[in-house]
Amino acid sequence: MSRLGFRTEVYNADMRLGELDVVSVPTFPNFRFPNDEIRIRHMSPKSERCPPLSVLQTISAFAVRCKLESSLPVEQPHLTNLHASCFYELMTAVVLAGEEEIHLVAMPSKRKKFPCFWCYAVPKGLYNACLGMLNMRCLAIVFDLDETLIVANTMKSFEDRIDALRGWLLRETDPLKVQGMSAELKRCLEDRLLLKQYAENDSVMDNGRVYKVQMEEVPALSENHEKRIRPIVRLPEKNIVLTRINPEIRDTSVLVRLRPAWEDLRCYLTAKGRKRFEVYVCTMAERDYALEMWRLLDPEAHLIGSKQILDRVICVKAGSRKSLLNVFQDGMCHPKMAMVIDDRSKVWEDKDQPRVHVVPAFTPYYAPQAETASAVPVLCVARNVACNVRGCFFKEFDEILLQRIAEIFFEDDVVSLPHPPDVSNYLMSEDVPNGNSNGPINEGMNGAEVERRLSQPDDKLSVDVVTRPLVNNAEFRPETSQPTAGIISNIAGPGSSRTPILSQKPGLLGPPVRHDVNSLDRDHDMKRGLLTMRHGPDIRGQTSVETPLMSKPPPPLPSQPSPSLTQSHGGWLVDDDISSRPHTNSRPFASLKEPNAVKSDKHQAQQKPFSHSMVVSPPNALLLPASQLKAEEVCS
């Protein structure tokens, strides 16, 4: 035993390198290496610009298990070479300990006593994945599908919706409400006609022009999947795509409406051929349906490569909550480096809700004008939010974390490390009215309902419709509480007035119904067999529900931001183009001189870390001064 703790031998595979003293830290006083020996399995990849300590502190803050140094009076050249190699080439030596990796980080010493290391513990694979993202200045973004990016309907779901609307029209006497319901009914009839033509004739007629199916090849996603040829009709002017979940069965035909401005958001994510975000999908829909819906949104596989699609499209069982840890399987990313785009936050685990940017639900039949009521479309707002989150994250990473990391020495306490950036610090909590909760029927199919619509032949579905007034319906004014110039909004937080929803999205026939989780699980297990799809439930004749009220016209729009801050869609986009801007020295520890105490104190006095208690700026104010963020291209 040494005076600092205990001494252990160090091996690189089977080669003995020497001995080091294990120095305990207060947070993990009893840590021991497996078999009381340090056996290095491999070296981490070399970093291009991020010191290993900055990466490890970002993905596993303050997880230093112990320190290592040599107290032997003789030099140990192999360990000294290991320290120098890790230090100057920005890599770590990795020891496996169960499901964790222990990374040996070469540290500078105030006493110039080498070799010396800090030992960080992280889940397997997480360091390599996040190292690449941080080097590229890239974050992760997770999309929901139904009512966030698309709305899909089968013939049966259209028929149910049309029957319900006709029942309400028979009982309604208010001319304004009749006008609104009639317009909605007309939109449903038009789309049902398109879907009927497609299902029966493999062609549709729109505005006097005939569109025939185009056979699109879907490559095999794995050895267990077969290559498929899908008959597709695309109507780009209407953002409509017609497809079949099973190409061999016409009854699986679906009409899909893509949310306006999706191309703008996709363009931002893939601009200049470099990644700003790693893209994932998390949905409660059936898997084959989810894969096809995403293929329609990303037909050229620019956002998610064909080899990644099975790992990055995550289907959550109806009735359970979504979780970022479940999305990032096998250590693909850390939740602190991810944001979510969803039309509901309460379906996510509580710890993930601060990272959710909530968008109003997509309602192309009930309120199509909601997408055009503001100068900034909903998905353009989401694009601006993502842009600012990324800019703020890496501004803090570069200007605070990296600079402070450069001042840390082996002899310093672990608690002296700076706190890492977190996406949740840049998403503001704001009570935003959301969704079609006051609408007569919710749009399209959602969650486990997709399986029911595509598989169940004869079961009946009871009608459960909303009877509340629509005077405050957010779908007629979606942007009044969305930021148009700088506020990054988020539903999550104690101030939210919406009812928590733990199951799948609202069904086609009405608002959310409270179910216990066990019944939802049983219901989900019954909804199988996409290949045996026949007609779904029928609600015709069930008209005993009170007629809902229609909403008033949209209120006046809020004042728009100044022209100097707006782009072609009326929004603004600020982003650090970090790959082209000067960044801090990629080898901050190259000089092992004594630290400048005065400089360190001055830096600490200027440091202003982000927190959840940030004051929300006015609607036309930027999160950060314009001089601190470089304006980047806008895809319009």
Side-chain angles (χ1 to χ4, degrees):
M1 298 289 290
S2 71
R3 60 184 179 84
L4 295 174
F6 61 92
R7 185 172 296 161
T8 184
E9 294 183 331
V10 183
Y11 296 87
N12 188 358
D14 295 328
M15 177 182 176
R16 186 179 183 278
L17 303 181
E19 295 182 354
L20 289 174
D21 296 325
V22 179
V23 184
S24 63
V25 295
T27 50
F28 298 94
N30 300 318
F31 174 76
R32 306 289 289 266
F33 283 94
N35 301 321
D36 286 335
E37 64 180 18
I38 301 174
R39 193 168 292 272
I40 298 171
R41 296 298 181 91
H42 60 269
M43 306 298 292
S44 71
K46 297 179 182 179
S47 176
E48 298 176 4
R49 63 207 297 188
C50 302
L53 188 61
S54 67
V55 179
L56 291 163
Q57 180 65 3
T58 299
I59 64 176
S60 189
F62 306 102
V64 178
R65 294 294 191 261
C66 66
K67 300 180 180 182
L68 302 174
E69 70 172 355
S70 175
S71 61
L72 294 179
V74 296
E75 291 187 0
Q76 302 186 79
H78 294 303
L79 289 176
T80 302
N81 291 339
L82 175 67
H83 181 276
S85 178
C86 291
F87 187 83
Y88 291 106
E89 296 183 38
L90 299 182
M91 59 184 184
T92 65
V94 183
V95 177
L96 298 184
E99 295 300 317
E100 287 186 327
E101 295 175 347
I102 307 298
H103 289 257
L104 276 59
V105 183
M107 298 292 293
S109 173
K110 296 177 180 178
R111 296 177 294 174
K112 297 181 175 56
K113 185 176 182 179
F114 305 105
C116 56
F117 301 87
W118 279 12
C119 300
Y120 258 90
V122 296
K124 283 183 180 179
L126 184 60
Y127 178 87
N128 289 2
C130 294
L131 172 65
M133 293 176 63
L134 292 173
N135 277 330
M136 292 190 301
R137 298 305 192 255
C138 176
L139 297 177
I141 190 167
V142 183
F143 288 108
D144 174 50
L145 291 177
D146 293 300
E147 297 188 6
T148 298
L149 300 181
I150 59 106
V151 163
N153 279 285
T154 62
M155 284 295 295
K156 186 58 182 162
S157 63
F158 272 134
E159 290 169 2
D160 291 343
R161 187 184 190 88
I162 290 168
D163 288 345
L165 286 170
R166 284 172 172 167
W168 285 317
L169 282 170
L170 291 175
R171 299 187 305 274
E172 186 54 60
T173 57
D174 188 319
L176 181 61
K177 300 172 189 175
V178 169
Q179 182 181 3
M181 291 181 185
S182 299
E184 183 179 357
L185 177 62
K186 180 175 181 292
R187 289 187 284 268
C188 292
L189 289 170
E190 290 173 348
D191 277 8
R192 186 188 66 168
L193 178 59
L194 291 176
L195 183 58
K196 187 175 188 299
Q197 294 174 3
Y198 166 78
E200 295 177 352
N201 307 319
D202 283 341
S203 64
V204 300
M205 177 174 287
D206 184 54
N207 291 330
R209 178 180 175 184
V210 177
Y211 295 82
K212 295 184 178 180
V213 296
Q214 301 295 320
M215 307 309 290
E216 296 184 1
E217 180 177 316
V218 182
L221 301 179
S222 70
E223 296 180 355
N224 299 325
H225 289 73
E226 297 180 357
K227 180 177 70 175
R228 286 188 168 185
I229 305 296
R230 291 191 186 275
I232 303 295
V233 173
R234 296 180 182 270
L235 305 176
E237 304 84 5
K238 294 185 174 181
N239 284 333
I240 289 177
V241 183
L242 296 111
T243 184
R244 290 191 187 114
I245 305 305
N246 185 336
E248 308 299 325
I249 301 179
R250 291 181 178 271
D251 284 346
T252 62
S253 299
V254 178
L255 184 144
V256 184
R257 280 192 171 268
L258 310 182
R259 192 163 201 162
W262 164 246
E263 289 298 323
D264 294 89
L265 177 54
R266 185 173 69 172
C267 177
Y268 166 73
L269 296 173
T270 60
K272 291 186 176 180
R274 64 181 179 86
K275 288 186 177 181
R276 293 188 175 98
F277 287 87
E278 295 285 355
V279 178
Y280 299 80
V281 175
C282 187
T283 177
M284 290 181 179
E286 190 269 343
R287 188 160 182 76
D288 285 348
Y289 166 86
L291 290 172
E292 174 62 5
M293 294 304 104
W294 181 254
R295 190 188 70 84
L296 299 179
L297 290 164
D298 186 27
E300 297 178 352
H302 287 164
L303 300 182
I304 302 179
S306 57
K307 295 182 179 179
Q308 301 171 313
I309 189 72
L310 292 179
D311 293 329
R312 295 202 176 190
V313 175
I314 309 301
C315 296
V316 179
K317 184 177 180 181
S320 60
R321 279 188 168 185
K322 299 178 181 179
S323 167
L324 285 176
L325 289 178
N326 186 36
V327 172
F328 302 134
Q329 304 172 44
D330 302 323
M332 293 186 291
C333 182
H334 194 283
K336 290 191 297 186
M337 297 172 59
M339 67 174 294
V340 178
I341 305 294
D342 202 326
D343 64 299
R344 296 181 300 159
S345 65
K346 296 302 182 182
V347 296
W348 289 86
E349 294 284 354
D350 292 344
K351 61 185 177 182
D352 294 327
Q353 290 180 21
R355 300 183 177 94
V356 180
H357 170 65
V358 179
V359 297
F362 180 34
T363 56
Y365 300 102
Y366 173 64
Q369 65 271 39
E371 298 296 318
T372 58
S374 172
V376 187
V378 170
L379 292 187
C380 284
V381 173
R383 176 200 62 190
N384 295 349
V385 170
C387 179
N388 280 308
V389 166
R390 177 176 174 266
C392 294
F393 184 98
F394 286 108
K395 179 179 177 64
E396 183 177 354
F397 183 85
D398 287 337
E399 298 183 6
I400 297 179
L401 182 68
L402 288 187
Q403 292 186 22
R404 288 284 292 112
I405 289 293
E407 301 168 357
I408 300 297
F409 287 81
F410 173 80
E411 292 79 10
D412 292 335
D413 292 332
V414 175
V415 294
S416 63
L417 287 167
H419 286 271
D422 188 327
V423 162
S424 63
N425 291 344
Y426 323 116
L427 283 168
M428 302 298 176
S429 295
E430 186 176 347
D431 194 6
V432 181
N434 182 62
N436 189 20
S437 59
N438 293 327
I441 310 179
N442 287 89
E443 308 278 323
M445 304 177 296
N446 299 286
E449 184 182 2
V450 172
E451 290 183 273
R452 179 170 66 250
R453 293 291 180 183
L454 296 177
S455 62
Q456 294 300 313
D458 299 317
D459 61 331
K460 301 296 181 180
L461 188 65
S462 61
V463 178
D464 182 8
V465 293
V466 168
T467 60
R468 290 169 295 182
L470 305 187
V471 293
N472 293 322
N473 181 12
E475 295 307 318
F476 284 88
R477 48 183 185 88
E479 294 298 333
T480 56
S481 46
Q482 285 283 357
T484 59
I487 293 183
I488 301 179
S489 62
N490 181 350
I491 285 291
S496 176
S497 60
R498 297 185 300 118
T499 304
I501 304 172
L502 303 183
S503 62
Q504 74 262 30
K505 290 185 176 183
L508 181 69
L509 303 179
V513 184
R514 295 185 181 272
H515 300 283
D516 62 78
V517 175
N518 292 333
S519 65
L520 284 171
D521 291 344
R522 291 194 300 271
D523 184 53
H524 183 268
D525 293 337
M526 294 172 56
K527 297 161 189 171
R528 306 288 184 184
L530 190 65
L531 303 183
T532 60
M533 174 272 190
R534 282 177 289 172
H535 286 301
D538 192 349
I539 63 164
R540 275 173 282 194
Q542 301 181 24
T543 58
S544 60
V545 184
E546 181 182 349
T547 305
L549 303 178
M550 297 302 293
S551 79
K552 294 181 179 180
L557 295 175
S559 59
Q560 298 298 322
S562 63
S564 62
L565 296 179
T566 57
Q567 300 295 342
S568 58
H569 282 288
W572 59 275
L573 198 61
V574 180
D575 194 1
D576 268 344
D577 193 353
I578 309 195
S579 63
S580 61
R581 63 178 286 189
H583 54 80
T584 56
N585 189 350
S586 62
R587 289 171 174 78
F589 302 146
S591 173
L592 304 184
K593 297 180 181 180
E594 294 287 332
N596 187 325
V598 176
K599 178 180 178 181
S600 176
D601 293 341
K602 179 179 178 181
H603 180 81
Q604 294 179 7
Q606 294 175 346
Q607 181 179 352
K608 297 180 179 179
F610 292 83
S611 68
H612 288 286
S613 60
M614 293 177 62
V615 178
V616 178
S617 56
N620 293 331
L622 298 178
L623 277 177
L624 297 169
S627 61
Q628 294 183 12
L629 292 177
K630 179 179 178 180
E632 197 169 26
E633 73 282 350
V634 177
C635 300
S636 60

